Amino acid sequence: MWDKTSIRVQHLKPSAIRKYFAVPSDVVTLGIGEPDFTSPDKLIAAAHESLKRGNTHYTANAGIYELREAISDKLDELYGVKYDPDSEIIVTVGASEALYLAAATVLNPGDEMIVVTPCFVSYQAAVELADGVPVEVACRLEDNFDLNVQAIEDAITPKTRGILLGFPNNPTGAVASREKLQQVADLAAKHDLAVISDEIYERLIYGVEHVNFASLNGARERTFIVGGFSKSYAMTGWRLGYVCGPKHLIPQLYKIHQYLIMSAPTIAQEIGIVAMRECEPDVERMRQEYDRRRRLIVDGLNSIGLYTFEPKGAFYAFPQISGTGLDSTTFADRLLAECKVAVIPGCGFGQCGEGHVRTSYAVKYENIEEALNRISDFVSKLKK
Ligand code: PLP
């Protein structure tokens, strides 16, 4: 039996949170990190039309030009950030691919990447797959999970090559402030670091401003903006994302993308154009519904006695469960086994996530109500 697999894959830990996704049908799940909405009708119709026209071939490696143009226009319209569709945008297989491309472009073996936590489970893995070393720097509940700039600076060593951050944040729902983001941009310039800014939840914000990292003073030349269609347009299954960066860096990412992927799925790209050009009302419709659910879940969890910071973006709430005396894995396992509610242990999102669980409100309003009833019973039983 051949078993000499690479040290790289042997060291990679399987995602600790997968087991909370595949749950029996009597479980109310707040575990999933994807919209419960189906992609907008207009997109499904556009996909049918595109297939009928025989669009089953590869596209340009960097993606259909019109889609790159649509991405460029959107970033300009929303943030006044200009990216040249010819040379500064690559359409990828989800934001997931974009994260890897950026990490692999920045890191040499053994280089360090500061990963701002709590964070999406793939960040550390993307760094490790690029043979780098993730160095976690925590955002704190007492700072409303905003950036801790001093802690980031303290973590910089001669091996540090970049900072990877994601706001609006999965799992906390925090939206970083302009002030702190500018301080991180200044830090990156001072220490000559790259910045990978995952902004996939940029459109799901509730009453606050989302700041595009490349729009900050002095940031654009060292920044990769990672974006996607999965969350704002309810397009997880189409696998479509993008990465934008300066002209002198994008050709390096392009080489990896070209050999690894060739081109993102053609039909997904075709409807991505329609999404960006015509689906603004759908984005707003879904955002408003998430907002309604957000208020329900935050009030509900707080009244159960699980302190919950008010998320300002994405579709997650991150209640503190340490007061129950259980660690996050035990809390999630027992809640699942005893009350049939799935949540994700906070420790899956970086060491500092311990003491919390992630609940998603990308699920139906009634399901959140039912989950809250069950969590309330569970927590009261623990107190007895
Ligand atoms: N970035 C964050 C913060 C996410 O939460 C996710 C998915 O959950 C992704 C990236 C991956 O997105 P995509 O479906 O575009 O690969």
Side-chain angles (χ1 to χ4, degrees), residues 33 93-97 99 120 123 168 170 198 200-201 227-231 236 239-241 316:
V93 181
S96 303
E97 185 209 338
L99 285 166
F120 175 48
Y123 290 179
N170 170 7
D198 176 0
I200 191 166
Y201 292 100
F229 293 74
S230 289
K231 316 293 175 169
T236 47
R239 309 308 304 126
L240 194 65
Y316 308 102

Side-chain angles (χ1 to χ4, degrees), residues 83-113:
Y83 282 107
D84 176 6
D86 266 321
S87 55
E88 298 189 312
I89 299 175
I90 302 173
V91 177
T92 56
V93 181
S96 303
E97 185 209 338
L99 285 166
Y100 173 74
L101 295 183
T105 298
V106 169
L107 297 165
N108 279 312
D111 282 348
E112 292 173 5
M113 175 77 80

